[in-house]
Amino acid sequence: MGDKLSALWRKVSWAWSPESERESSEAIVKNFWLHWFPAKVARASMDWNYSFWLGTASAALLLILTVTGVMLMFFYVPSTERAYGSIKDLQYAVSFGRLLRNQHRWAAEGMVAVVYIHMARVFLTGAYRGTRAINWLVGVALLLVTLLLSFTGYLLPWDQLAFWAITVGTSIAKQAPVLGPTIQFILLGGHEIGQQTLLRFYVLHVFFLPVFVLVLFAYHMWRIRKDGGLAVIERVRNDRVMAPKAASKTKSYSLFGITPGTSVQVMSSTGLEESDQVFSSPDLSRRMMLVFLVVFNITLLAALLFNAPLEGLANPSVTPNPAKAPWYFVWLQELVASTTVRLGDFTVSGALLGGILLPGFLLGVLTLWPWLDGSSFRTEGRWLAPERRRQNLTFAIATLAIIVLILVGVYLRGPYWRIYWPGQPRPEMPRLY
Amino acid sequence: MDRDRRKILRFIGKGSVVAAFLGQIGAAGRAFFPNVLYEPPSRFKLKRPADYPEGYTLDAAHRLFVIRQKDAFHVISAICTHLGCNVQWKDTEFDCPCHGSRFRPDGTVIGGPAPRPLEWFATTVSPDGFLDVDSATEVARDFRLIIGGKGKA
């Protein structure tokens, strides 16, 4: 009986723990869950210290968010009268509802952070050159959609944070040249925040934006294969060219790797030697599962230890004092609060300058960066290449500026958005509801 | 001749598919612009003039301040001209809790990001004796509604 069971288990799981190189290769062809991997991947791209597996961690967070999000949909009612109550129910009346919501919230905030750090890794290793520029663009879009998902997500509880975030967010949209008022009207579904507004942001959050993320994510993964793997491979290849060796007779075990102009007999699809490569199963698949497990455990632990915030019920008559955005938007709040320019009678609102033009400029520079980068291709896939020092410094300074603005907004801003230094007494504000 | 006819038919065929598709997209897009809004009217009644004390009184529900200086009344919007939060009256100035805009008692900007002064709303007295505010109509900052006698216009 036990033997039969273990034989059955082996039939199901052999692809994940192959016992020979032949099984490793077959696993990729025969197992649905492994079929999108190449038979072999570069050993260098398995390095924990090269990529920190941040892309995999983002994907793990996306999976956690999708599962917990669909679970939450069973309990959440997108109505201005019942939304807040349904969140309270999740907290106090639904078994493990609080845990579910906590995990969704912390995974969401984690995803914003991890996606950004992933982008920083790609930037600092110069991993966006040549055809990889397309994946950089997809990545920038994914960062943007991640932020939009976070924004539409924290609107749904219909608490004070939600209401005033919509107020400020759609007021910024209204400042857009020409189309601004129309955009605000279509976002709100009217001139004021109401039922239509909540429903629109709800459908965006649970359908349109996630579908958009999944399509971009799939394309992001597909592009990695078309680009021949992580950029670190270019480093290995460049180093090989520096030290030429006799042509080897390595061949790929899978025919999927063949691309035009490459013959199976001469070199493998990645142009790497056999000693540079490892089998996707188990070397890649096991590391991936490990990353998923670690990410899952971290979000679960965070959900057990910390409760997701929930403010008072949305009240159009009372603005919280101060009204602060979540940490990942506080730097934008600092920008809109401090970029109003006055030249005599001529005034440019910070809402336009700091809310639209400046972030738009940042986004534009980020989008075009692969084409602004003039450094040599030898820097590809290398951490902090000396030749790219100026570029890396620019990125680091921009990131540092954002972090400083976030710290100022989160820790120093008090009532009426004034600066209060640590130790300086803050006036007691009556809590109004 | 035969070629031309084919070309035209092909153009009509493909064109009608494209037109139908674009029309469908347009129709779907148009549905997002509501034709009927269930929103409160921009013109509404407040309390009777005599119900307001001297000075600045917040009407939180309508997001405005009623200001009484003896027999003279005027109404200033509580909605910050920067990004729409509610300003608060702090004895000598209006302050905004969202981004720190500050306004003088007449609504003009002292500092902070607000690009314009707070709006002044057209105010009359309704036939049945209530303050009647039209939040869609702005008035100049020298506007005063003078109520003669005991709260009558």
Side-chain angles (χ1 to χ4, degrees):
Chain A
M1 184 63 194
D3 284 354
K4 272 190 178 170
L5 264 182
S6 68
L8 188 69
W9 174 242
R10 181 79 196 138
K11 255 188 169 170
V12 178
S13 68
W14 69 271
W16 300 91
S17 50
E19 285 169 353
S20 65
E21 298 200 341
R22 186 198 156 91
E23 277 195 358
S24 280
S25 304
E26 276 189 343
I28 302 304
V29 183
K30 292 190 173 167
N31 186 303
F32 171 75
W33 298 105
L34 295 170
H35 84 270
W36 32 64
F37 297 124
K40 286 180 147 191
V41 289
R43 190 189 297 277
S45 61
M46 297 291 100
D47 190 352
W48 298 105
N49 288 332
Y50 172 71
S51 69
F52 299 109
W53 291 70
L54 292 161
T56 310
S58 311
L61 289 166
L62 178 61
L63 180 71
I64 293 166
L65 284 164
T66 310
V67 174
T68 53
V70 169
M71 284 297 294
L72 289 171
M73 283 175 72
F74 281 105
F75 303 98
Y76 175 78
V77 187
S79 131
T80 50
E81 281 133 30
R82 295 180 58 192
Y84 189 72
S86 63
I87 301 293
K88 282 281 186 204
D89 272 356
L90 272 167
Q91 283 191 321
Y92 295 104
V94 179
S95 296
F96 300 109
R98 184 192 292 258
L99 185 73
L100 209 57
R101 174 166 182 263
N102 286 355
Q103 198 175 7
H104 193 73
R105 172 65 74 107
W106 301 135
E109 299 202 358
M111 189 164 163
V112 173
V114 171
V115 166
Y116 186 86
I117 302 170
H118 174 52
M119 184 181 75
R121 190 284 289 174
V122 171
F123 191 98
L124 297 176
T125 54
Y128 49 74
R129 313 298 304 281
T131 55
R132 288 191 180 83
I134 302 170
N135 233 3
W136 171 263
L137 289 187
V138 178
V140 171
L142 276 165
L143 172 68
L144 205 62
V145 182
T146 304
L147 287 173
L148 286 176
L149 270 165
S150 299
F151 182 71
T152 52
Y154 72 75
L155 304 183
L156 302 184
W158 212 245
D159 60 351
Q160 281 286 64
L161 175 69
F163 186 89
W164 294 100
I166 302 180
T167 303
V168 170
T170 57
S171 298
I172 290 176
K174 190 187 179 186
Q175 299 296 319
V178 189
L179 282 179
T182 313
I183 295 172
Q184 188 194 34
F185 185 72
I186 202 172
L187 283 174
L188 294 180
H191 301 102
E192 292 184 1
I193 296 169
Q195 179 56 53
Q196 271 299 312
T197 319
L198 178 57
L199 204 50
R200 281 171 190 215
F201 281 111
Y202 173 73
V203 177
L204 279 177
H205 184 75
V206 303
F207 183 77
F208 282 98
L209 293 173
V211 166
F212 198 42
V213 162
L214 287 177
V215 171
L216 287 174
F217 169 65
Y219 186 59
H220 208 55
M221 297 298 102
W222 187 78
R223 286 266 11 136
I224 293 177
R225 288 211 52 187
K226 295 296 128 179
D227 295 334
L230 304 192
V232 68
I233 290 164
E234 310 304 330
R235 185 184 78 196
V236 176
R237 193 179 284 153
N238 280 333
D239 291 346
R240 273 285 132 66
V241 175
M242 293 291 282
K245 282 182 180 174
S248 70
K249 284 186 189 168
T250 62
K251 68 179 174 71
S252 165
Y253 276 82
S254 161
L255 292 179
F256 289 103
I258 299 176
T259 50
T262 313
S263 126
V264 181
Q265 278 74 30
V266 177
M267 51 161 66
S268 67
S269 62
T270 55
L272 298 173
E273 294 187 7
E274 194 158 337
S275 62
D276 293 331
Q277 303 190 12
V278 290
F279 285 99
S280 289
S281 175
D283 291 80
L284 172 60
S285 54
R286 283 193 185 161
R287 282 177 174 83
M288 237 171 206
M289 281 191 285
L290 183 63
V291 173
F292 268 69
L293 211 59
V294 167
V295 170
F296 178 77
N297 282 353
I298 290 174
T299 56
L300 191 59
L301 203 63
L304 286 166
L305 293 177
F306 307 103
N307 280 327
L310 182 67
E311 295 186 5
L313 176 65
N315 182 356
S317 302
V318 178
T319 311
N321 190 6
K324 275 190 196 181
W327 60 267
Y328 45 89
F329 283 130
V330 156
W331 62 282
L332 279 174
Q333 194 174 6
E334 283 290 339
L335 282 183
V336 295
S338 50
T339 52
T340 294
V341 176
R342 290 189 185 83
L343 295 165
D345 285 342
F346 185 70
T347 306
V348 181
S349 175
L352 176 63
L353 206 60
I356 296 176
L357 297 182
L358 215 54
F361 173 75
L362 281 180
L363 194 64
V365 171
L366 213 52
T367 305
L368 295 176
W369 198 268
W371 292 275
L372 300 173
D373 186 334
S375 59
S376 79
F377 275 79
R378 300 204 58 82
T379 60
E380 242 184 315
R382 284 174 216 275
W383 268 96
L384 307 170
E387 198 191 320
R388 301 183 69 248
R389 180 171 293 138
R390 262 212 318 229
Q391 301 197 29
N392 290 336
L393 221 54
T394 309
F395 188 87
I397 288 170
T399 301
L400 199 68
I402 289 176
I403 290 174
V404 167
L405 287 178
I406 289 174
L407 291 177
V408 169
V410 170
Y411 292 109
L412 300 185
R413 294 293 184 180
Y416 301 110
W417 206 245
R418 308 251 162 90
I419 296 271
Y420 291 89
W421 297 102
Q424 196 178 343
R426 295 186 184 209
E428 274 296 314
M429 284 294 134
R431 286 178 72 82
L432 306 166
Y433 292 100
Chain B
M1 186 64 202
D2 203 30
R3 275 274 170 92
D4 282 354
R5 195 160 60 196
R6 243 184 228 180
K7 244 186 204 169
I8 290 167
L9 284 173
R10 201 178 288 159
F11 176 79
I12 292 172
K14 284 178 184 171
S16 61
V17 171
V18 170
F21 191 61
L22 291 181
Q24 175 71 60
I25 289 176
R30 176 63 181 83
F32 283 95
F33 291 84
N35 296 320
V36 181
L37 295 174
Y38 301 92
E39 292 174 355
S42 59
R43 188 170 171 172
F44 43 82
K45 280 186 202 171
L46 305 178
K47 290 192 261 187
R48 291 173 192 280
D51 295 336
Y52 290 94
E54 181 78 8
Y56 288 69
T57 307
L58 171 70
D59 185 328
H62 292 110
R63 302 175 74 187
L64 51 79
F65 290 91
V66 177
I67 296 128
R68 177 172 188 176
Q69 289 151 328
K70 288 182 183 158
D71 289 339
F73 289 77
H74 60 276
V75 171
I76 299 184
S77 167
I79 300 172
C80 182
T81 54
H82 179 227
L83 287 171
C85 294
N86 295 350
V87 298
Q88 295 175 18
W89 175 246
K90 294 214 311 168
D91 300 328
T92 53
E93 64 182 62
F94 298 103
D95 280 12
C96 182
C98 282
H99 306 99
S101 292
R102 297 165 62 207
F103 304 88
R104 292 185 190 87
D106 69 348
T108 51
V109 180
I110 302 173
R116 290 186 310 279
L118 295 172
E119 288 181 13
W120 285 47
F121 293 147
T123 308
T124 52
V125 175
S126 67
D128 50 352
F130 293 88
L131 280 185
D132 184 334
V133 174
D134 180 1
S135 64
T137 308
E138 251 192 280
V139 292
R141 273 187 294 281
D142 57 3
F143 173 89
R144 293 290 185 278
L145 175 69
I146 308 294
I147 312 279
K150 292 192 173 176
K152 284 181 181 170

